[in-house]
Amino acid sequence: MADVHLDGGPLGACATSWSVRRAREENLAEINHVIAASKSHWDYPTAYLEAALPLLTIDEPYLTEHLCLEIVDEHATVVCFFAVAEDGGEHLLDHLWVRPDRLGQGIGRAACEHVFALARRHGWAALPVLPDPPAQGFYRKVGFEDTGMRVKSRVPGGPSFSVLEKHFDDDDEAAEILAELADAAGRPAGGRHPGSTAQSGA
């Protein structure tokens, strides 16, 4: 995959040049630093973070098995890591982490748009994600919808994760019916964790 160059930055700020490329093995330490800093940006208890972060660590096998991408700035510094994992024939946005000091600059949206373009090119019907609860607003803004399903954290005592989905076809009826059934029952509908090689829900 060739690097994809983007221009970004908030309106009125100095222009910043980013590149989207396949995540590189030599950047694993930097990638995991971005994940730890981004997850720790939210006001989670220390004990929860200490248990959750090892479950989110990216290693060489994960890079090999999944579509892993990084966004680097003009200094080749990793400012974002995102990954798509395959779960039972379906695709899952398993990771999307932006360095906290780069939030609000359009980097997360650029990552999502890159994945959406891939999804449309390859004919994926939908793309689910299990975002950290404080990040749900961002995912809704870029087009994800609440399925009504919830899954518990893989960390005992951790937060409950909403399953959001981005649809790439014109048939949203099934998702709407599922959400309506969940509301009518007064409980989450059919929530489950992704496959064993995915890392969402920690």
Side-chain angles (χ1 to χ4, degrees), residues 84-107:
V84 176
E86 188 173 344
D87 175 26
E90 299 179 350
H91 294 86
L92 166 78
L93 183 55
D94 200 30
H95 286 275
L96 200 173
W97 307 99
V98 178
R99 268 179 42 174
D101 61 340
R102 295 302 187 97
L103 291 174
Q105 298 180 11
I107 296 172

Side-chain angles (χ1 to χ4, degrees), residues 62 66-68 82-96 115-116 119 124 126-131 139 144 149 151 154 162-166 168 192-201:
Y62 187 93
H66 303 293
L67 175 59
C68 297
F82 56 111
V84 176
E86 188 173 344
D87 175 26
E90 299 179 350
H91 294 86
L92 166 78
L93 183 55
D94 200 30
H95 286 275
L96 200 173
V115 175
F116 296 166
W124 304 346
L127 181 73
V129 64
L130 279 66
Y139 287 94
F144 286 87
M149 294 185 289
V151 296
R154 290 187 286 141
S162 297
V163 182
L164 308 186
E165 262 189 352
K166 168 74 175 177
F168 301 101
R192 68 179 181 87
H193 281 292
S196 60
T197 63
Q199 295 182 332
S200 295

